[in-house]
Amino acid sequence: MDNTDTLILVVEDEQEQREIIVSLLLASSYQVISANCVEQAIVMLKEHPIDVIFSDWKLGKLSGIDLLNYVKNPNTKKLTHQHGFIIATAHGTISHAVEALKKGADDYIAKPFQRQELLLTINKALNAKKLREQNQNLSSQLSEQNKMVGLVGKAPCMQKVYQRIDRVSATDATILILGETGTGKELAARALHQSSDRSKAPFIAINCGAIAESLAEAELFGAEKGAFTGANATKIGKFEAAHGGTVFLDEVGELTLTTQVKLLRFLQEGSITRLGSNQELSLNVRVIAATHRKLEQEVKQGRFREDLFYRLNIVPINMPALRERNEDIAPLCEHFLSLHSKRHNINVPKLSTSAYRSLLEYHWPGNVRELSNRLERFVLLDDEQELISALHVQDSQHSDNTPEFNFPEESFSWDSFEQQCLASALTKNQGNRTKAAKHLQMSYKAFLYRLEKYQLNK
Ligand SMILES: Nc1ncnc2c1ncn2[C@@H]1O[C@H](COP(=O)(O)OP(=O)(O)OP(=O)(O)O)[C@@H](O)[C@H]1O
Ligand SMILES: [Mg+2]
């Protein structure tokens, strides 16, 4: 930036002085405008993109400090951009200079001054202004990013996640989000949608493990009236409903091979055909898929189509496990303590250092969701001892996850034993069936089958 791009406002009530300063600055190629009082200066500030204000201390009834106060007032700053500010003080009035610097002036100059001195202070104020602007941009970018992402955590592995989200959000590329349970896969998908051009259009999340096989096609792609028994009206599928927006296929590894074919077709051709119809519908939908499974392994075992895997895996995003980003535990704790306290309208309880230590040492198999659940319980009970001992109990079971089972000497009811196991798995997982099934190392379908068998499926 050369001087011709810099606009300086000279505020001086004595005409002769004002003209000298203006001509000195013009001679150095600066753009210059001038005002003879604070009021006039304020009007000019509103009308011109002023870079540096050079103001005299004494300005009639008011002073340069009044102008400085105006410029630094947070309400004013919202309206105008950053300014450099220099105050010119009479010889021997250093206290004025100190006051101005305290109030945020970038520099002062004692009168009378040399041309060179004047140019040096202008330069200094200009640099200070630029730095402030850069910081302002940076912090507004950061807060913008945090707002858009909604993900807490600054660990380097999370920074990589943010960067990737940022990079692909403007594109329509298919994204595959990988990671253990509770690592924030869905949150990341929502963040991606939110920061894309599609943010105003729908974000439709589909839990692929929870759709019955016979209904999957109609659920996803729609069905014409009469396409199957019970189809009394035309059904709009989730993909169609998401037109213009994003479909989030959660637990994509659970899709049956038949539905995988349909999905692949959509990804290749961008169109769907409702069940019972011959007409293709072109849709503008971005697909984000997620899974906690190792899809390559599923491919090897023939449970997942290889071509679909490659189609989905164009841009993978790996959500790190919580134990890999210990440094984020404290900020996440603060986040959840305040979140749950607000939700339950309860005072935020404090965590002691030893509680923090236990939280840091714990292995977090349920990742961020588990941390959130444990802290919600802590907010409700305010019982730190309970929190710490629960973590220790879990940890001691960690090394051996097959509970000891004493086979009864007497005969016993297998059915009621099985029912108890199913019910406990549900309770332990807050009613989440996907997780309860996983807890019992059972497929989701096998789990549902058993729930139905015992009529626990309510
Ligand atoms: N980085 C994070 N910052 C704040 N909250 C988070 C973060 N990661 C996850 N959460 C919260 O933890 C919970 C679980 O996150 P989410 O549902 O996105 O995980 P997931 O990976 O989809 O889990 P699952 O595999 O079990 O479906 C949610 O309540 C979510 O808001
Ligand atoms: Mg999820």
Side-chain angles (χ1 to χ4, degrees):
M1 189 161 141
D2 65 20
N3 293 353
T4 53
D5 295 324
T6 305
L7 180 61
I8 301 175
L9 169 65
V10 175
V11 192
E12 167 67 73
D13 56 349
E14 284 172 36
Q15 189 186 352
E16 199 183 330
Q17 280 280 334
R18 191 168 64 239
E19 283 171 5
I20 292 173
I21 300 167
V22 169
S23 64
L24 282 176
L25 292 172
L26 284 174
S28 293
S29 308
Y30 285 110
Q31 304 280 331
V32 190
I33 52 176
S34 61
N36 59 17
C37 62
V38 172
E39 294 85 343
Q40 198 186 6
I42 289 175
V43 173
M44 288 182 155
L45 275 169
K46 288 183 179 154
E47 289 174 352
H48 302 276
I50 289 159
D51 296 301
V52 177
I53 303 165
F54 183 94
S55 172
D56 193 22
W57 173 270
K58 209 176 125 307
L59 293 163
K61 282 193 191 129
L62 296 175
S63 79
I65 282 286
D66 295 306
L67 184 58
L68 182 60
N69 283 339
Y70 171 81
V71 171
K72 296 289 172 188
N73 184 314
N75 293 329
T76 315
K77 271 208 279 185
K78 259 184 239 151
L79 302 173
T80 54
H81 69 298
Q82 291 282 350
H83 308 284
F85 201 106
I86 300 161
I87 204 138
T89 56
H91 183 68
T93 52
I94 191 74
S95 60
H96 288 167
V98 173
E99 188 183 343
L101 291 177
K102 270 193 193 156
K103 295 229 153 113
D106 294 308
D107 203 4
Y108 74 95
I109 189 165
K111 292 202 280 191
F113 47 78
Q114 302 287 315
R115 172 175 171 272
Q116 208 48 37
E117 270 180 279
L118 171 67
L119 297 181
L120 275 176
T121 59
I122 295 279
N123 224 345
K124 190 171 160 191
L126 206 53
N127 283 336
K129 167 206 170 260
K130 278 190 208 144
L131 266 177
R132 273 200 297 277
E133 271 170 356
Q134 279 167 9
N135 286 339
Q136 203 180 25
N137 281 344
L138 209 66
S139 60
S140 68
Q141 263 172 26
L142 280 179
S143 61
E144 194 51 33
Q145 205 174 22
N146 286 340
K147 199 170 72 212
M148 112 193 160
V149 169
L151 291 156
V152 176
K154 286 194 186 143
C157 49
M158 282 306 280
Q159 300 285 352
K160 278 196 193 142
V161 169
Y162 301 149
Q163 276 167 13
R164 207 163 256 210
I165 290 179
D166 210 34
R167 178 135 186 101
V168 295
S169 63
T171 72
D172 285 336
T174 302
I175 310 293
L176 181 62
I177 306 181
L178 302 159
E180 292 176 16
T181 181
T183 44
K185 295 187 291 295
E186 178 156 355
L187 206 56
R190 285 181 190 277
L192 223 165
H193 171 76
Q194 219 115 73
S195 52
S196 75
D197 295 342
R198 301 170 178 270
S199 62
K200 300 240 156 39
F203 173 91
I204 295 197
I206 303 166
N207 182 352
C208 300
I211 336 176
E213 186 175 353
S214 55
L215 296 178
E217 197 177 339
E219 276 291 312
L220 299 183
F221 304 110
E224 293 296 332
K225 186 176 170 182
F228 56 90
T229 336
N232 303 326
T234 301
K235 183 181 169 62
I236 302 291
K238 307 256 190 205
F239 273 76
E240 214 176 320
H243 185 52
T246 306
V247 155
F248 175 53
L249 295 172
D250 203 1
E251 292 312 339
V252 72
E254 310 293 319
L255 283 183
T256 60
L257 287 164
T258 332
T259 318
Q260 288 177 28
V261 177
K262 306 261 158 59
L263 173 61
L264 181 64
R265 213 183 121 217
F266 170 76
L267 291 173
Q268 279 167 345
E269 290 160 26
S271 61
I272 59 147
T273 310
R274 287 190 200 141
L275 204 65
S277 158
N278 301 321
Q279 209 188 341
E280 286 202 349
L281 290 173
S282 275
L283 293 180
N284 168 16
V285 172
R286 187 213 204 134
V287 173
I288 303 178
T291 179
H292 70 276
R293 288 181 190 265
K294 302 228 172 331
L295 279 188
E296 281 110 325
Q297 229 164 302
E298 302 285 305
V299 169
K300 274 195 200 123
Q301 290 164 353
R303 281 198 295 264
F304 202 83
R305 287 185 69 103
E306 192 173 14
D307 44 9
L308 179 58
F309 170 64
Y310 287 119
R311 233 7 248 199
L312 290 174
N313 196 32
I314 295 175
V315 181
I317 295 182
N318 282 299
M319 299 305 293
L322 187 54
R323 63 183 168 278
E324 288 163 21
R325 51 185 190 111
N326 247 0
E327 63 265 56
D328 285 344
I329 288 182
L332 278 165
C333 285
E334 273 174 39
H335 168 72
F336 287 126
L337 287 177
S338 101
L339 186 87
H340 295 310
S341 307
K342 260 192 215 127
R343 260 192 36 212
H344 295 293
N345 204 10
I346 282 181
N347 285 344
V348 188
K350 284 228 160 9
L351 279 170
S352 69
T353 323
S354 68
Y356 265 117
R357 194 178 316 128
S358 303
L359 290 166
L360 286 171
E361 283 166 359
Y362 183 57
H363 66 289
W364 297 113
N367 293 296
V368 186
R369 180 183 289 110
E370 183 181 357
L371 176 64
S372 169
N373 290 345
R374 288 191 184 276
L375 290 178
E376 181 169 11
R377 189 182 167 91
F378 172 64
V379 164
L380 289 167
L381 304 179
D382 193 10
D383 184 347
E384 195 174 279
Q385 220 34 57
E386 195 266 353
L387 171 72
I388 297 177
S389 50
L391 294 175
H392 287 167
V393 169
Q394 274 290 106
D395 252 343
S396 61
Q397 289 172 351
H398 175 43
S399 45
D400 174 17
N401 65 5
T402 310
E404 198 173 316
F405 176 56
N406 293 322
F407 194 77
E409 296 296 326
E410 306 283 299
S411 75
F412 83 107
S413 157
W414 169 258
D415 279 359
S416 71
F417 174 68
E418 196 177 17
Q419 279 184 53
Q420 272 177 37
C421 286
L422 295 169
S424 305
L426 277 171
T427 318
K428 267 216 173 337
N429 292 286
Q430 292 84 32
N432 182 326
R433 292 174 189 177
T434 314
K435 287 175 71 182
K438 217 162 125 189
H439 199 134
L440 297 175
Q441 301 185 6
M442 212 179 261
S443 80
Y444 187 76
K445 278 199 208 92
F447 183 72
L448 277 192
Y449 166 78
R450 285 179 170 79
L451 286 186
E452 259 166 36
K453 178 175 160 195
Y454 297 116
Q455 297 184 341
L456 294 168
N457 199 5
K458 300 239 165 79

